[in-house]
Every structure is written in structure tokens, then in C-alpha cells.
Amino acid sequence: MKSVMLFTFLIFLSQASAQEKTDIKWWNPAEHEFPVISGQAWPKEVESQFHRLPARAEKNIRKAVWNLSKQAAGLSIRFWSNAKSIRVKYTLKGGLSLPHMPATGVSGLDLYGKTPHGDWIRHWGFYSLDKESNYTFTIDSDTKAYYQYGREYQLFLPLYNEIESLEIGIAEGSFLNPLPIRKEKPIVAYGTSICQGACASRPGMAWTNILERRLDRTIINLGFSGNGRLEPELIKLMTEIDAKLYILDCLPNLSPNRENTQLLVLNAVKRLKEKRPNTPIILTAHVGYADDFTNQENKNRYVPLNEDLQNAYNQLKSEGYTDVFLLAKDTIGLGFDSFVDIIHPNDYGMLQYADAYEQLIRVVLNEPKGEISTTIPKNQSRDIAVYQWENRHQAILERNRENPPKICLFGDSIINFWGGEPKSSIANGADSWDEVMVPLGVRNFGYGWDRIENVLWRVQHGELDGFESESIILMIGTNNLHLNTDSEIISGLQNLIQAIKIRQPKSQLHLIGILPRTGKEARVKEINLKIAELAQLENIPYADIGNPLLLENGTLNESLFTDGLHPNAEGYTLLAKQLVTQLQNTSK
């Protein structure tokens, strides 16, 4: 054991020595030109960039809540980097640990990265925790693509400590590109110490942060240890946030002998609904205690609270509040091994919380996650040499708000490389796009290297929200051919069609067959017959617009392509004619 510790220490010293010889450039996120601290609802109003509530709130809320709001629970920083080592130095204001919670959770950091296929990976780091703290994360990657293009990272900040200052350092010659705050609506969670993160062993294991990674949605953490009491002042602040969903998880801080829980819940929901009538709300029950089976006194505390919550929920439903949901104690399902002490969950308990919330939230937001890859929503960065996937997504969200599209054309690089806005670095069919598609009011929703599951992610993350289009054209699946069976592709398309219909029920959806490609003409022809059957089943128009791109013998007409997959200008002109015919034949 001693030899292992000595070996680890020697490795650390050798890495530290190597880093000392390397010039480090430091970046201060608090001084960046645009807000980059994810998890903040009021980024331009905070007293410190690492606080959670706006400065003006201090005069309206209790001192205990205000002091807790200075702690960085749920805050994170997202960026792209190709660095071999990522260093963080930061100054803390409070105590390093708690009697029931380790310093790594109270005061530590967690760094996660994403693979090109949208899967999370955790990066381990050497650290020193004190008033002046630091982490060194060594990135284990030997691919040329990483050192050229990097990957997305998310750095989760301390759960129970206030940060005075923080800087991120990388070696000279590497890059670090901050990502702005997402434009999608966040989920807002208001609750107790459990919501704030007690007693996770590290920031990434707080249930709100687990949920953020699973859903790829910003979670605004308004957990205040011992002080989540459904106070009107906090509810009023919450109404200022244009949220995708509100979570009220405050029962462990309420008492059946002190507050009228039912009235507090009713007032909170009605206040939120008055300002945000279309935002769903989840009411969370008290999960009980670690000694549920032996301590009747504790049962006498939480059972009445859950009964009051159930009564409030029943009353709200009877009054017509249809998008209020109840997360029950048994659904979360904590047992005695789920706790650090009597009330606070350990990492296992946090995972149980996240599981229960994810299951319900996917139902509430109509964001199901299937069992096969084509039905599991994923973002990606496979084509980073050409463009940045998330930047395109954010640009489309912005354009949709400023100028809602009449016709949405969803696809992969075949659509992306056609032309239009947002502009791509490649536009092989710009003339036909400008001449034909622009007058029709078509917006380009094509992303390079997208698969069915990537379009599903985009649909679930707002690209069809907030407007009504006349038509949606869907042509996706060619990048699934080498990974999935025909059955998996059809299942993915059927699931995607349902996601689109839910968000655009009045729009005419058109399903387009996969375009032919070199060496796969027979496979494409076969699966397009099944896609046509799916369209008939779903009662939507179908068209196989790729036939003009084939020779008489059924093979690809290479003269119409740049590479056997992407059409050239002449090929795109033929596709434009086919799409116009399809839209005219099915016009309302």
C-alpha cells in the first residue's frame, strides 16, 4: 500500500514539475465578454459572478437564504479545449467540509467531457483544497483529432462554498473557447439541502447536476440548506425565470406543526401559474428518513406533510391545473443504504433522485428515451473540422425567435451543404437554394454527420418550439446505415415523427426517402420502401426524390455528386425541383 502511495506521489510530482516548465495562460470566466457561468438565472444582476440570486434580492429575503445563495451549487462553466492538462485555481470563502459531507463535495470541482458522439466522460484530477484551492486535470487522449479540434467540457463548481475568484489555466499553444449560456429554457429546482447537493461526495453527483448531464438542459439550482420553505419572496423571483419546468421540493424543511403546507403549496403553484401559465410544475414529496422502519416519531413528521402535498395536488387538479405533477415518495424509493445520515442522501441516493426525476420529466416534457440508439436523443461533434454543432443549434434557435420559418427542412450534411441560413462553410447548391428554397420560405435545419437520434435531440431542445410552421420536411437516416438495421432506422424515424407532431401539430409533415449513395444503392432502395410504408402508416406524404440522381441501371450518377454522397450544384437543382413538386402536390 505504501509503495502504491509513493508511486502515485512520484507521478504527481513529475507532472507538476513538467507543468512548471510549461507556460500557463490563465482565463478568468468572471471577466469574459459574455456570460459563461451556466446555472445562473440573473447573470447580469449578481453581486459576484459565482452567486445564485440577483443583488436586489438581498433586501427582500431572509439573511440565511441570502447567505446560502452565495454558494455555487449547480453552477458550472462550459468550454471547448484541446489542452493536455486543465488547471483550475480558485479562492474559497467558507469552511472546506461539513461533519456529514466531504470537502470534495463542499468545496471541490468536477470536470466532465463529451465524446464526438455525445457521451459523457469524467476526468480525474489531483487537487489541493484550502482557502486557495487548485485542481489539475490530466486529459487522457492520444488522438490527433483531439489536439487539433478539442472537445466540449463542463466544469461543475462547489456545492456548499462561496467562490471569491476562479481562473482556468492551459498550456500556451492550446486553446480554450468558452461556451455561452444556452438559449434553451432551463429547469428551475427550488428546494432544501438535498436540492443544494447535500451530501454528494463531489459536485457532479448532486442530483441536479446528474440530471443536467442526462437531459442536456441547464438546471437552475435554488436549493437552500435548511431554508427551502416555499417562501413567497423566492416564488416571486422564480416567476422572473422563463423556465421549461419548475420543481418545488421543499417538504423536508417544512413542519406539520409550524406551517400550513397545503396552503403554501397552493399559493406557490398559483403564483407561478399566474405569471407562467404554460410552464409545468413538479411537486416533490418528502422521501422520508433512513430509519423509517424503526422511528415512529420521524414518520409522524413526514407522513402529514406528504398528505398535505397530496391534498394540495388534488385541489389543483380539481381546479383545472392540468400540467401540475406529483413525484411520490415511493417513486424516488430511497432505502436506509441511500443515506449518509438520517435525511441526506449519499451518492447512491442522489442517483435514485436523478432516476426518478428523469423518468417523470421525460413524460412531462414529452422527451422519451428509447432502448435502441436511434431513439436515444444525443448531440454530437463528429464534424468539428467543418462546423461546431452546438453553435449551429444556438444560431437556429436565435433565428427562429427573430424570424420564424415557414418551412423547416431537417437533415444531415446533404441538407447542410445545400445553402441558406445559418450559413455553412460548404454550400454546393447555393444558387438553387437562393432561387427556389428562399422564395418558398425554407430554413435549413441540416447538420453535418447528423443521425436520427441527433435530430431527435434538436427537436426535443427547442428547434420547433415557439412558432407554427406550414410544413416540415424530414430527410434523415443515411448516417445510420452503417450502424443500424433497417428495423432500428424505421423505429427511430417513427419515434422522431411523433416528437415532431407533438410540437408542430398543425404543420404538414413530409417524409423524404434516403438519397442514394455510392455502393449502397440497393440498401437505400430497400429501406426507402419501408420508409414509404411508415409514411402511409403515419398518414403523412412521402417522396423518394433521389431517383433523378440515378442512372438507368440503378447506380449513382456520379456526375451529379461531389463525393458519391453529397450532390453538386446540378444535383441540388434536381432535388429542388423534386421538393417543389412534393410541396405543391400536398399543399393545403
Side-chain angles (χ1 to χ4, degrees), residues 78 114 117-120 152 154 182 184-185 187 209-219 358 362 367 377-380 389-390 393-394 457 460-461:
R78 298 170 61 241
K114 267 196 173 179
H117 305 296
D119 298 312
W120 286 105
E152 177 188 341
Q154 187 162 5
R182 287 185 171 113
E184 297 98 317
K185 294 181 180 182
I187 293 172
N209 290 339
I210 297 170
L211 199 60
E212 176 158 338
R213 294 193 302 276
R214 290 184 180 181
L215 298 176
D216 272 317
R217 287 193 181 280
T218 299
I219 310 287
E358 181 185 8
R362 288 195 178 280
E367 295 181 1
K378 284 280 186 74
N379 53 19
Q380 56 100 350
W389 196 91
E390 177 164 333
H393 171 64
Q394 298 297 335
W457 189 99
Q460 290 185 355
H461 283 74

Side-chain angles (χ1 to χ4, degrees), residues 124-140:
W124 301 83
F126 295 101
Y127 59 88
S128 172
L129 296 178
D130 207 331
K131 180 175 174 58
E132 302 290 334
S133 297
N134 64 78
Y135 270 73
T136 298
F137 299 98
T138 300
I139 309 303
D140 183 18

Side-chain angles (χ1 to χ4, degrees), residues 380 382-383 386-387 389 392 409-419 424-429 433 444-452 454-455 458 475-479 515 517 561-568 572 575:
Q380 56 100 350
R382 289 183 286 270
D383 208 16
V386 178
Y387 79 113
W389 196 91
R392 184 168 177 83
L409 177 53
F410 279 88
D412 44 52
S413 57
I414 296 170
I415 302 302
N416 187 1
F417 293 174
W418 196 335
S424 171
S425 60
I426 300 174
N428 295 329
W433 186 277
N444 190 322
F445 284 73
Y447 288 53
W449 265 113
D450 254 16
R451 299 170 185 156
I452 294 168
N454 304 131
V455 178
R458 296 196 275 123
M475 188 178 77
I476 192 69
T478 194
N479 291 321
L515 289 189
R517 53 189 299 177
F561 288 80
T562 62
D563 56 5
L565 173 64
H566 301 94
N568 57 22
Y572 278 120
L575 291 181

Side-chain angles (χ1 to χ4, degrees), residues 269-303:
V269 171
K270 291 180 179 181
R271 184 73 178 271
L272 290 170
K273 284 296 183 182
E274 182 181 359
K275 184 70 178 292
R276 306 289 180 183
N278 298 320
T279 305
I281 300 172
I282 291 177
L283 307 174
T284 307
H286 195 308
V287 295
Y289 298 89
D291 58 354
D292 264 2
F293 295 102
T294 59
N295 192 328
Q296 186 61 43
E297 183 179 346
N298 277 340
K299 275 194 173 182
N300 292 340
R301 293 181 63 187
Y302 78 78
V303 169

Side-chain angles (χ1 to χ4, degrees), residues 477-496:
T478 194
N479 291 321
N480 292 92
L481 291 174
H482 68 292
L483 293 172
N484 300 107
T485 64
D486 288 3
S487 176
E488 290 171 338
I489 290 173
I490 296 302
S491 295
L493 286 172
Q494 188 169 28
N495 183 65
L496 177 55

Side-chain angles (χ1 to χ4, degrees), residues 195-367:
C195 180
Q196 183 170 341
C199 285
S201 65
R202 50 188 176 83
M205 290 307 295
W207 70 257
T208 55
N209 290 339
I210 297 170
L211 199 60
E212 176 158 338
R213 294 193 302 276
R214 290 184 180 181
L215 298 176
D216 272 317
R217 287 193 181 280
T218 299
I219 310 287
I220 305 293
N221 187 320
L222 297 181
F224 304 106
S225 187
N227 289 274
R229 301 179 186 174
L230 292 176
E231 293 170 288
E233 296 82 3
L234 266 297
I235 299 298
K236 183 179 179 182
L237 283 169
M238 289 174 65
T239 66
E240 298 177 11
I241 307 171
D242 187 11
K244 188 74 175 179
L245 168 73
Y246 294 117
I247 295 172
L248 300 179
D249 191 353
C250 292
L251 262 61
N253 285 163
L254 301 179
S255 169
N257 302 318
R258 187 178 64 214
E259 292 104 355
N260 185 334
T261 303
Q262 184 171 341
L263 184 61
L264 282 172
V265 172
L266 291 171
N267 288 342
V269 171
K270 291 180 179 181
R271 184 73 178 271
L272 290 170
K273 284 296 183 182
E274 182 181 359
K275 184 70 178 292
R276 306 289 180 183
N278 298 320
T279 305
I281 300 172
I282 291 177
L283 307 174
T284 307
H286 195 308
V287 295
Y289 298 89
D291 58 354
D292 264 2
F293 295 102
T294 59
N295 192 328
Q296 186 61 43
E297 183 179 346
N298 277 340
K299 275 194 173 182
N300 292 340
R301 293 181 63 187
Y302 78 78
V303 169
L305 291 171
N306 284 347
E307 289 175 349
D308 284 347
L309 184 70
Q310 182 70 56
N311 291 335
Y313 172 75
N314 292 341
Q315 182 175 336
L316 289 164
K317 300 297 281 187
S318 69
E319 293 179 9
Y321 292 93
T322 57
D323 54 355
V324 177
F325 302 86
L326 182 65
L327 182 58
K329 173 185 181 296
D330 291 343
T331 301
I332 303 173
L334 270 62
F336 53 78
D337 282 333
S338 306
F339 294 89
V340 167
D341 48 20
I342 293 296
I343 182 65
H344 297 100
N346 53 27
D347 287 356
Y348 174 53
M350 287 291 184
L351 285 168
Q352 290 177 288
Y353 260 98
D355 288 343
Y357 272 116
E358 181 185 8
Q359 183 178 9
L360 179 55
I361 288 172
R362 288 195 178 280
V363 172
V364 172
L365 299 183
N366 287 306
E367 295 181 1

